[in-house]
Amino acid sequence: MFEAVIFDMDGVLIDSEPLHIQLEEEIFKEIGANISFDEHISFVGTTSHYMWEYVKNKCNVPLTVEELVEMDRKRYFDYISENDDAVKPIEGIDEIVKELYSREVKLAVASSSPIDVIELVVKRLKLESYFDKLVSGDFVQRSKPYPDIFLYAAEKLNIVPERCIVIEDSNKGVLAAKSAGMKVVGFINPNSGDQDISMADMVIRSFSELNYEKLQNI
C-alpha cells in the first residue's frame, strides 16, 4: 500500500527538456565548450552543478562552476518568467495529480531544478495547492542518481520510503528512486532523449495509463 507519490518535474510535470537543451546549447557555444548531444542528454535528471562541473573539467572553461550554474539558471528562469507558453504541462498530469489528492495521497515534487523554478512551474500549472512539499536538488548534497533527494522528500512527507512511489522520466532519476527503496513509474518522454528506464516497476507512455488503482498494484 502506498501513501505518497513523488513527482519529478522536468519531463514529467512539464515538457521542459527541449527548452533546457536549447538554452544550454547556446551557453556551450558562447563559452566554447564542445559537448556532444549524447553527452548533453546524459545529464537529464541531474542538478546543474553536476553537469557544469563536468563541462568545466572537460573543456577547461575559464569560469567557476558557480558562475556557470548561475548563468544557466538565470537564463532559464528569465525565459520562463517572460514567456507564459514556455511552461507546457504534460498531457494528463493535471488529472492524475488531482485524483491522487482526492484519495488523500501525500504529494511532493522532487526536482533537480532550483526551488524558484519549481515554485513558478507549479503555480503556472495551478497545482500549488495539491503538493504537500516541493523539494529541490539544492537541498541535498548529492545529485541523482544518488537517492538523497527522494529520501529527503519522504522524510519531509513523514512517509517511509517503502510506501512512496516516484514518477520519473530519466535514467538517473529512476536509479535514484530505486536506490531509495521506492517503487518507480517510468514515463517515456521522447523529448527527454533515449533514457533507459527499464528498471522501473512500471513503464508508461501516457498518463492516461495511470490511476490510483494501478498504482496500488505496483
Side-chain angles (χ1 to χ4, degrees), residues 130-148:
Y130 295 92
F131 288 104
D132 298 279
K133 297 293 176 183
L134 304 178
V135 177
S136 165
D138 292 343
F139 296 175
V140 295
Q141 185 174 359
R142 300 180 300 180
S143 173
K144 303 171 188 177
Y146 291 100
D148 302 29

Side-chain angles (χ1 to χ4, degrees), residues 6-26:
I6 303 171
F7 291 81
D8 178 38
M9 185 180 75
D10 293 299
V12 173
L13 294 185
I14 58 171
D15 202 13
S16 53
E17 295 302 351
L19 178 58
H20 275 296
I21 290 167
Q22 173 193 325
L23 298 178
E24 288 161 3
E25 291 283 349
E26 290 176 4

